Amino acid sequence: MDRLSDKVKRLPESATLKMARLARELRAQGKDVISLSLGEPDFDTPQHIKEAAIQALRDGYTKYTPVPGLPELVEAIRLKFKRDNGLTFDKDQIVVSNGAKQSIFNISQALLNEGDEAIILTPYWVSYHDIIQMIGGKPVPVRAGIEQDFKVTPQQLEAAITQRTKFVLFSSPCNPTGSVYTQEELEGLAEVIARHQLIVVSDEIYEYINFTGQHASIGTIDAVRDLTVTVNGFAKGFAMTGWRLGYIGAPRWLARACAKIQSQVTSGATAFGQKAGAVALTSDPGPTIAMREAFRRRRDLVIELLSAIPGVKTNHPKGAFYIFPDMQAFFGKSFDGQTIRHSDDLAEYLLREALVATVSGAAFGDPNCIRISYAASEDQLREAIRRMGEALGKLS
Ligand code: PMP
Ligand code: GLU
C-alpha cells in the first residue's frame, strides 16, 4: 500500500540540504570532502547572544510565548526596522517565526489559492520555488542571466504578470548570486508592482552581509509601502542558523493571517531564543561587521581564484556569501566516459572527481551555473578551487 500523499511524493528534498547531506555522508566514509554547498556562516554565534539565551533559561523563559512573538523581541524588531531600514511598523504588523524559511511558508500559505501564481525573480533561493509548489501555487520564474548581473528588469517583470499573479518574491542581497538591487532598480520594479497592485515579498536576510555599504528596502518606496512584506532573520547576520528564528514586517491583515497559520503549526519560536534575538538586535554590531569583512575578503579571494580557471565566468557579487559562476563552457565536454550536459552533471562531477560539494544552478532556476558558498576558511577555499580547476581541466 502506498501510504504517502501525492503532495509529499511530488516534493523534492531541499537541494541545498541534500548536497550538504551527501557531503556529510562521503566524509563519514573517510573521503576528504570540502563542502561549499550549504549557505551557513562558519562562524559561531557571538558569545553575548549565547549568554543571553542561557540567562533567559535561568530566568524561566521556558514557556509558550504569544504566537507572533515575545513582546520584547517584537519591539526590538520594530525599532530595528526603523533604525536600519526606514520602515515604520506597529507591533501588530510583526510576526516572529521559526526561521525566515517558515516566514516565507506562512506568507505563501496565506496568499495562494490552488493555481495562483507567484513570480520569483530568478536565480532564486531554491525553497521559494518548492514551498510555492508544495502549497499548490504556481511558481513563475523570471530569469536574468549573468550578462545582466542576474537582476530582473521592470520590463521582464511586467511581461510575466497575469490575472492570477498574487505576489513577487526576491532576495537582495541575493541567494544564490550575491547580486544587490540598487534603490533605482527597486524603484523600477516597485512601479510595476504598484500598478498591478501585487504584494511584494522582500527577503532581506543577507542585509548585514552587503559590501556596498547601502542596503535598500523596497518597502520604503511610497507606491508599495502597503504592499510589501519584509522578511528577515537571525541566521546569516548573527551566525544563528541553528536557532531557527526569523521574522516579518507586513500589512496588518497579512501579519494576522501568518500568525493564524503559525498558531496551528509551530505555536511560535522558542522563548529563550527570542530573548537572545532581542539582545542580538540591540547590542554592539561589532561581531556582525567583523563577519561581513571576513566574507568580503573571501569574496575577493574566490573571484580571483575562479577567474584564473579558463571557462569559468563570474559576476562580482556585492553581498551574501555565494558566487554563482556560469559554467556553460564545460557543457558537452567529457571525462572518463561521462559527458557534462548541464549544471546537475557538473555539480555531481565536481563532488566525485574533486571532492568539492557545490549546488547545481538548476536548483536555483539557472542550469548554466553552479552555486559556491564561500562561508568557509580561506585555506579551504584555496584548496577547493585548486581541486575544481584540476577536475575541470580534465574535461575535453
Ligand atoms: N531566505 C534566504 C534567501 C536564505 O538563503 C535562507 C537560508 N537560510 C532563508 C531565507 C531561510 O533562513 P532561516 O534559516 O532563517 O530559515
Ligand atoms: N539558505 C541556506 C542555503 O541556501 C541554508 C540551507 C537552506 O535553508 O536551504 O544553503
Side-chain angles (χ1 to χ4, degrees):
M1 197 201 324
D2 193 357
R3 296 179 192 274
L4 289 173
S5 69
D6 292 341
K7 182 179 257 187
V8 87
K9 280 189 282 185
R10 277 195 307 267
L11 181 71
E13 178 182 358
S14 159
T16 46
L17 299 181
K18 179 177 170 187
M19 281 308 275
R21 176 174 60 76
L22 289 178
R24 256 196 311 269
E25 282 169 10
L26 282 173
R27 238 188 247 129
Q29 292 166 22
K31 299 246 166 63
D32 171 28
V33 175
I34 302 178
S35 181
L36 307 182
S37 58
L38 195 59
E40 170 159 76
D42 53 327
F43 301 106
D44 197 2
T45 305
Q47 194 59 27
H48 70 285
I49 302 176
K50 292 204 242 177
E51 293 298 340
I54 294 164
Q55 190 57 44
L57 279 168
R58 291 210 172 97
D59 291 345
Y61 281 84
T62 55
K63 310 286 190 204
Y64 292 128
T65 71
V67 172
L70 202 63
E72 192 178 324
L73 176 59
V74 168
E75 181 60 9
I77 291 169
R78 205 180 65 75
L79 294 174
K80 178 257 177 263
F81 273 135
K82 189 88 204 144
R83 178 191 69 199
D84 298 346
N85 310 112
L87 293 167
T88 308
F89 291 110
D90 288 332
K91 288 197 284 265
D92 58 355
Q93 293 182 271
I94 287 161
V95 181
V96 177
S97 297
N98 302 78
K101 191 179 262 182
Q102 194 207 349
S103 298
I104 292 161
F105 177 88
N106 288 346
I107 296 163
S108 305
Q109 186 76 276
L111 293 176
L112 295 173
N113 284 319
E114 192 77 27
D116 280 347
E117 295 174 6
I119 292 177
I120 41 182
L121 307 193
T122 304
Y124 51 72
W125 177 45
V126 53
S127 290
Y128 294 166
H129 182 276
D130 299 342
I131 287 173
I132 290 164
Q133 207 157 50
M134 168 165 53
I135 279 164
K138 181 174 168 212
V140 178
V142 176
R143 183 165 160 195
I146 196 166
E147 66 291 345
Q148 54 190 90
D149 193 20
F150 299 111
K151 289 193 274 190
V152 170
T153 64
Q155 294 73 22
Q156 288 179 290
L157 174 60
E158 177 100 49
I161 295 171
T162 73
Q163 291 296 332
R164 297 216 68 172
T165 309
K166 282 294 196 63
F167 66 85
V168 179
L169 169 56
F170 72 106
S171 62
S172 176
C174 176
N175 177 3
T177 64
S179 298
V180 171
Y181 281 85
T182 64
Q183 178 71 21
E184 294 69 41
E185 287 163 343
L186 292 177
E187 281 169 12
L189 298 175
E191 190 278 318
V192 178
I193 290 163
R195 196 151 29 76
H196 292 271
Q197 287 293 292
L198 302 175
I199 294 292
V200 55
V201 183
S202 176
D203 181 348
E204 303 181 15
I205 196 164
Y206 295 97
E207 171 187 6
Y208 294 141
I209 310 171
N210 182 329
F211 313 130
T212 71
Q214 270 171 343
H215 174 76
S217 294
I218 195 168
T220 58
I221 300 169
D222 273 340
V224 292
R225 197 180 299 276
D226 297 331
L227 299 171
T228 306
V229 192
T230 306
V231 177
N232 212 321
F234 295 83
K236 313 296 170 165
F238 299 103
M240 291 172 68
T241 46
W243 293 63
R244 313 308 307 127
L245 201 59
Y247 57 91
I248 59 167
R252 199 165 277 108
W253 57 270
L254 185 50
R256 211 174 284 141
C258 288
K260 188 165 72 170
I261 292 165
Q262 187 159 294
S263 78
Q264 298 287 11
V265 183
T266 65
S267 307
T270 57
F272 49 92
Q274 293 190 62
K275 277 288 276 188
V279 168
L281 290 181
T282 51
S283 55
D284 170 23
T288 293
I289 294 169
M291 288 188 270
R292 181 193 68 207
E293 289 310 305
F295 286 130
R296 184 205 298 273
R297 286 193 296 277
R298 295 170 187 182
R299 187 266 320 253
D300 293 344
L301 175 69
V302 161
I303 291 179
E304 183 195 318
L305 296 174
L306 285 174
S307 307
I309 303 175
V312 176
K313 201 159 116 192
T314 62
N315 72 332
H316 196 84
K318 297 189 176 53
F321 37 65
Y322 307 105
I323 189 160
F324 200 58
D326 184 302
M327 305 296 275
Q328 285 182 85
F330 302 98
F331 298 168
K333 296 191 173 182
S334 310
F335 175 68
D336 209 10
Q338 191 205 344
T339 302
I340 307 295
R341 292 162 303 168
H342 40 52
S343 62
D344 286 356
D345 286 350
L346 193 63
E348 204 189 302
Y349 174 74
L350 290 173
L351 183 58
R352 211 189 45 238
E353 201 57 38
L355 294 176
V356 175
T358 58
V359 185
S360 164
F364 307 95
D366 189 336
N368 294 335
C369 300
I370 58 168
R371 189 188 78 171
I372 296 171
S373 162
Y374 56 82
S377 72
E378 293 187 15
D379 284 349
Q380 281 177 316
L381 292 170
R382 280 182 200 283
E383 173 61 10
I385 297 172
R386 186 195 66 72
R387 290 190 203 171
M388 284 173 62
E390 205 172 273
L392 292 169
K394 291 183 193 162
L395 292 168
S396 60

PDB file of all heavy atoms in Angstrom, residues 39 99-102 104 125 128 171 175 203 205-206 235-236 241 244-245 322, ligand 1:
ATOM      1  N   GLY A  39      24.579  27.206   2.661  1.00  0.00           N
ATOM      2  CA  GLY A  39      24.666  28.626   2.986  1.00  0.00           C
ATOM      3  C   GLY A  39      24.593  28.824   4.479  1.00  0.00           C
ATOM      4  O   GLY A  39      23.541  29.158   5.025  1.00  0.00           O
ATOM      5  N   GLY A  99      12.455  30.712  11.886  1.00  0.00           N
ATOM      6  CA  GLY A  99      13.304  30.887  10.707  1.00  0.00           C
ATOM      7  C   GLY A  99      12.580  31.641   9.609  1.00  0.00           C
ATOM      8  O   GLY A  99      11.340  31.626   9.517  1.00  0.00           O
ATOM      9  N   ALA A 100      13.380  32.314   8.778  1.00  0.00           N
ATOM     10  CA  ALA A 100      12.815  33.038   7.629  1.00  0.00           C
ATOM     11  C   ALA A 100      12.143  32.064   6.665  1.00  0.00           C
ATOM     12  O   ALA A 100      11.215  32.414   5.941  1.00  0.00           O
ATOM     13  CB  ALA A 100      13.912  33.825   6.924  1.00  0.00           C
ATOM     14  N   LYS A 101      12.615  30.835   6.666  1.00  0.00           N
ATOM     15  CA  LYS A 101      12.004  29.818   5.799  1.00  0.00           C
ATOM     16  C   LYS A 101      10.540  29.644   6.173  1.00  0.00           C
ATOM     17  O   LYS A 101       9.660  29.596   5.310  1.00  0.00           O
ATOM     18  CB  LYS A 101      12.769  28.495   5.932  1.00  0.00           C
ATOM     19  CG  LYS A 101      12.405  27.446   4.915  1.00  0.00           C
ATOM     20  CD  LYS A 101      13.235  26.175   5.118  1.00  0.00           C
ATOM     21  CE  LYS A 101      14.414  26.105   4.201  1.00  0.00           C
ATOM     22  NZ  LYS A 101      15.214  24.873   4.317  1.00  0.00           N
ATOM     23  N   GLN A 102      10.268  29.575   7.470  1.00  0.00           N
ATOM     24  CA  GLN A 102       8.867  29.440   7.881  1.00  0.00           C
ATOM     25  C   GLN A 102       8.084  30.719   7.586  1.00  0.00           C
ATOM     26  O   GLN A 102       6.905  30.658   7.247  1.00  0.00           O
ATOM     27  CB  GLN A 102       8.746  29.090   9.361  1.00  0.00           C
ATOM     28  CG  GLN A 102       7.340  28.614   9.686  1.00  0.00           C
ATOM     29  CD  GLN A 102       6.919  28.845  11.120  1.00  0.00           C
ATOM     30  OE1 GLN A 102       7.735  29.188  11.977  1.00  0.00           O
ATOM     31  NE2 GLN A 102       5.646  28.671  11.371  1.00  0.00           N
ATOM     32  N   ILE A 104       8.436  32.581   5.045  1.00  0.00           N
ATOM     33  CA  ILE A 104       8.075  32.528   3.619  1.00  0.00           C
ATOM     34  C   ILE A 104       6.972  31.493   3.388  1.00  0.00           C
ATOM     35  O   ILE A 104       6.056  31.711   2.589  1.00  0.00           O
ATOM     36  CB  ILE A 104       9.343  32.252   2.779  1.00  0.00           C
ATOM     37  CG1 ILE A 104      10.262  33.474   2.873  1.00  0.00           C
ATOM     38  CG2 ILE A 104       9.003  31.929   1.318  1.00  0.00           C
ATOM     39  CD1 ILE A 104      11.695  33.211   2.507  1.00  0.00           C
ATOM     40  N   TRP A 125      16.297  31.620  -4.513  1.00  0.00           N
ATOM     41  CA  TRP A 125      16.653  30.632  -3.480  1.00  0.00           C
ATOM     42  C   TRP A 125      15.720  29.428  -3.636  1.00  0.00           C
ATOM     43  O   TRP A 125      14.494  29.588  -3.760  1.00  0.00           O
ATOM     44  CB  TRP A 125      16.508  31.244  -2.079  1.00  0.00           C
ATOM     45  CG  TRP A 125      16.790  30.248  -0.992  1.00  0.00           C
ATOM     46  CD1 TRP A 125      17.838  29.369  -0.942  1.00  0.00           C
ATOM     47  CD2 TRP A 125      16.021  30.028   0.182  1.00  0.00           C
ATOM     48  NE1 TRP A 125      17.770  28.617   0.204  1.00  0.00           N
ATOM     49  CE2 TRP A 125      16.664  29.003   0.911  1.00  0.00           C
ATOM     50  CE3 TRP A 125      14.863  30.598   0.696  1.00  0.00           C
ATOM     51  CZ2 TRP A 125      16.170  28.534   2.114  1.00  0.00           C
ATOM     52  CZ3 TRP A 125      14.379  30.139   1.900  1.00  0.00           C
ATOM     53  CH2 TRP A 125      15.035  29.110   2.603  1.00  0.00           C
ATOM     54  N   TYR A 128      12.042  28.928  -2.306  1.00  0.00           N
ATOM     55  CA  TYR A 128      10.913  29.748  -2.782  1.00  0.00           C
ATOM     56  C   TYR A 128      10.045  28.899  -3.715  1.00  0.00           C
ATOM     57  O   TYR A 128       8.825  28.841  -3.608  1.00  0.00           O
ATOM     58  CB  TYR A 128      11.378  30.959  -3.598  1.00  0.00           C
ATOM     59  CG  TYR A 128      12.161  32.022  -2.881  1.00  0.00           C
ATOM     60  CD1 TYR A 128      12.846  32.993  -3.620  1.00  0.00           C
ATOM     61  CD2 TYR A 128      12.218  32.086  -1.493  1.00  0.00           C
ATOM     62  CE1 TYR A 128      13.571  33.994  -3.000  1.00  0.00           C
ATOM     63  CE2 TYR A 128      12.944  33.089  -0.874  1.00  0.00           C
ATOM     64  CZ  TYR A 128      13.617  34.033  -1.629  1.00  0.00           C
ATOM     65  OH  TYR A 128      14.337  35.022  -1.018  1.00  0.00           O
ATOM     66  N   SER A 171      15.166  37.979  -3.214  1.00  0.00           N
ATOM     67  CA  SER A 171      16.094  38.313  -2.127  1.00  0.00           C
ATOM     68  C   SER A 171      17.159  39.266  -2.642  1.00  0.00           C
ATOM     69  O   SER A 171      17.637  39.130  -3.763  1.00  0.00           O
ATOM     70  CB  SER A 171      16.750  37.047  -1.556  1.00  0.00           C
ATOM     71  OG  SER A 171      17.526  36.368  -2.524  1.00  0.00           O
ATOM     72  N   ASN A 175      20.561  35.269  -2.635  1.00  0.00           N
ATOM     73  CA  ASN A 175      20.990  33.882  -2.651  1.00  0.00           C
ATOM     74  C   ASN A 175      20.339  33.290  -3.889  1.00  0.00           C
ATOM     75  O   ASN A 175      19.107  33.322  -3.968  1.00  0.00           O
ATOM     76  CB  ASN A 175      20.494  33.161  -1.385  1.00  0.00           C
ATOM     77  CG  ASN A 175      20.833  31.691  -1.351  1.00  0.00           C
ATOM     78  OD1 ASN A 175      21.483  31.192  -2.243  1.00  0.00           O
ATOM     79  ND2 ASN A 175      20.383  31.014  -0.297  1.00  0.00           N
ATOM     80  N   ASP A 203      12.899  39.523   0.670  1.00  0.00           N
ATOM     81  CA  ASP A 203      13.671  38.709   1.619  1.00  0.00           C
ATOM     82  C   ASP A 203      15.028  39.379   1.819  1.00  0.00           C
ATOM     83  O   ASP A 203      15.871  39.381   0.915  1.00  0.00           O
ATOM     84  CB  ASP A 203      13.814  37.298   1.034  1.00  0.00           C
ATOM     85  CG  ASP A 203      14.585  36.348   1.942  1.00  0.00           C
ATOM     86  OD1 ASP A 203      15.205  36.807   2.916  1.00  0.00           O
ATOM     87  OD2 ASP A 203      14.567  35.136   1.647  1.00  0.00           O
ATOM     88  N   ILE A 205      17.307  38.740   4.297  1.00  0.00           N
ATOM     89  CA  ILE A 205      18.041  38.010   5.335  1.00  0.00           C
ATOM     90  C   ILE A 205      19.553  38.230   5.244  1.00  0.00           C
ATOM     91  O   ILE A 205      20.267  38.050   6.223  1.00  0.00           O
ATOM     92  CB  ILE A 205      17.663  36.511   5.329  1.00  0.00           C
ATOM     93  CG1 ILE A 205      18.119  35.841   6.625  1.00  0.00           C
ATOM     94  CG2 ILE A 205      18.204  35.799   4.116  1.00  0.00           C
ATOM     95  CD1 ILE A 205      17.495  34.502   6.901  1.00  0.00           C
ATOM     96  N   TYR A 206      20.057  38.637   4.060  1.00  0.00           N
ATOM     97  CA  TYR A 206      21.501  38.921   3.926  1.00  0.00           C
ATOM     98  C   TYR A 206      21.815  40.407   4.073  1.00  0.00           C
ATOM     99  O   TYR A 206      22.902  40.855   3.697  1.00  0.00           O
ATOM    100  CB  TYR A 206      22.027  38.385   2.582  1.00  0.00           C
ATOM    101  CG  TYR A 206      21.955  36.884   2.512  1.00  0.00           C
ATOM    102  CD1 TYR A 206      20.881  36.245   1.880  1.00  0.00           C
ATOM    103  CD2 TYR A 206      22.911  36.077   3.120  1.00  0.00           C
ATOM    104  CE1 TYR A 206      20.779  34.865   1.857  1.00  0.00           C
ATOM    105  CE2 TYR A 206      22.817  34.703   3.100  1.00  0.00           C
ATOM    106  CZ  TYR A 206      21.752  34.105   2.467  1.00  0.00           C
ATOM    107  OH  TYR A 206      21.662  32.730   2.450  1.00  0.00           O
ATOM    108  N   ALA A 235      19.733  34.151  11.106  1.00  0.00           N
ATOM    109  CA  ALA A 235      20.641  33.064  10.720  1.00  0.00           C
ATOM    110  C   ALA A 235      21.949  33.569  10.127  1.00  0.00           C
ATOM    111  O   ALA A 235      23.020  33.055  10.463  1.00  0.00           O
ATOM    112  CB  ALA A 235      19.935  32.143   9.727  1.00  0.00           C
ATOM    113  N   LYS A 236      21.866  34.550   9.258  1.00  0.00           N
ATOM    114  CA  LYS A 236      23.058  34.911   8.478  1.00  0.00           C
ATOM    115  C   LYS A 236      23.868  36.013   9.158  1.00  0.00           C
ATOM    116  O   LYS A 236      25.045  35.847   9.427  1.00  0.00           O
ATOM    117  CB  LYS A 236      22.638  35.345   7.072  1.00  0.00           C
ATOM    118  CG  LYS A 236      21.639  34.428   6.390  1.00  0.00           C
ATOM    119  CD  LYS A 236      22.179  33.033   6.131  1.00  0.00           C
ATOM    120  CE  LYS A 236      21.051  32.117   5.681  1.00  0.00           C
ATOM    121  NZ  LYS A 236      21.483  30.883   5.099  1.00  0.00           N
ATOM    122  N   THR A 241      22.105  30.130  12.467  1.00  0.00           N
ATOM    123  CA  THR A 241      21.281  29.231  11.638  1.00  0.00           C
ATOM    124  C   THR A 241      20.512  28.198  12.462  1.00  0.00           C
ATOM    125  O   THR A 241      19.348  27.929  12.202  1.00  0.00           O
ATOM    126  CB  THR A 241      22.163  28.489  10.606  1.00  0.00           C
ATOM    127  OG1 THR A 241      23.313  27.997  11.285  1.00  0.00           O
ATOM    128  CG2 THR A 241      22.597  29.403   9.476  1.00  0.00           C
ATOM    129  N   ARG A 244      16.884  28.837  14.583  1.00  0.00           N
ATOM    130  CA  ARG A 244      15.595  28.861  13.893  1.00  0.00           C
ATOM    131  C   ARG A 244      14.751  30.061  14.351  1.00  0.00           C
ATOM    132  O   ARG A 244      13.754  29.923  15.077  1.00  0.00           O
ATOM    133  CB  ARG A 244      14.807  27.537  14.099  1.00  0.00           C
ATOM    134  CG  ARG A 244      15.587  26.257  13.905  1.00  0.00           C
ATOM    135  CD  ARG A 244      16.337  26.208  12.564  1.00  0.00           C
ATOM    136  NE  ARG A 244      15.482  26.476  11.439  1.00  0.00           N
ATOM    137  CZ  ARG A 244      15.752  27.411  10.517  1.00  0.00           C
ATOM    138  NH1 ARG A 244      16.837  28.172  10.573  1.00  0.00           N
ATOM    139  NH2 ARG A 244      14.921  27.588   9.529  1.00  0.00           N
ATOM    140  N   LEU A 245      15.171  31.220  13.886  1.00  0.00           N
ATOM    141  CA  LEU A 245      14.497  32.451  14.285  1.00  0.00           C
ATOM    142  C   LEU A 245      14.478  33.429  13.103  1.00  0.00           C
ATOM    143  O   LEU A 245      15.544  33.816  12.600  1.00  0.00           O
ATOM    144  CB  LEU A 245      15.276  33.051  15.471  1.00  0.00           C
ATOM    145  CG  LEU A 245      14.574  34.038  16.386  1.00  0.00           C
ATOM    146  CD1 LEU A 245      13.331  33.418  17.026  1.00  0.00           C
ATOM    147  CD2 LEU A 245      15.547  34.512  17.489  1.00  0.00           C
ATOM    148  N   TYR A 322      27.809  33.917  -1.484  1.00  0.00           N
ATOM    149  CA  TYR A 322      27.739  32.962  -2.578  1.00  0.00           C
ATOM    150  C   TYR A 322      28.330  33.594  -3.827  1.00  0.00           C
ATOM    151  O   TYR A 322      28.273  34.809  -4.011  1.00  0.00           O
ATOM    152  CB  TYR A 322      26.285  32.614  -2.907  1.00  0.00           C
ATOM    153  CG  TYR A 322      25.488  32.156  -1.720  1.00  0.00           C
ATOM    154  CD1 TYR A 322      24.556  33.000  -1.121  1.00  0.00           C
ATOM    155  CD2 TYR A 322      25.673  30.878  -1.188  1.00  0.00           C
ATOM    156  CE1 TYR A 322      23.819  32.598  -0.026  1.00  0.00           C
ATOM    157  CE2 TYR A 322      24.935  30.470  -0.089  1.00  0.00           C
ATOM    158  CZ  TYR A 322      24.010  31.324   0.494  1.00  0.00           C
ATOM    159  OH  TYR A 322      23.300  30.916   1.579  1.00  0.00           O
TER     160      TYR A 322
HETATM  161  N1  PMP B   1      15.960  33.256   2.609  1.00  0.00           N
HETATM  162  C1  PMP B   1      17.136  33.065   2.006  1.00  0.00           C
HETATM  163  C2  PMP B   1      17.446  33.862   0.788  1.00  0.00           C
HETATM  164  C3  PMP B   1      18.038  32.113   2.500  1.00  0.00           C
HETATM  165  O1  PMP B   1      19.214  31.927   1.887  1.00  0.00           O
HETATM  166  C4  PMP B   1      17.686  31.346   3.611  1.00  0.00           C
HETATM  167  C5  PMP B   1      18.604  30.255   4.085  1.00  0.00           C
HETATM  168  N2  PMP B   1      18.931  30.299   5.366  1.00  0.00           N
HETATM  169  C6  PMP B   1      16.445  31.603   4.223  1.00  0.00           C
HETATM  170  C7  PMP B   1      15.609  32.542   3.690  1.00  0.00           C
HETATM  171  C8  PMP B   1      15.968  30.826   5.417  1.00  0.00           C
HETATM  172  O2  PMP B   1      16.558  31.287   6.575  1.00  0.00           O
HETATM  173  P1  PMP B   1      16.258  30.645   8.012  1.00  0.00           P
HETATM  174  O3  PMP B   1      17.459  29.828   8.331  1.00  0.00           O
HETATM  175  O4  PMP B   1      16.079  31.837   8.911  1.00  0.00           O
HETATM  176  O5  PMP B   1      15.028  29.837   7.875  1.00  0.00           O
END
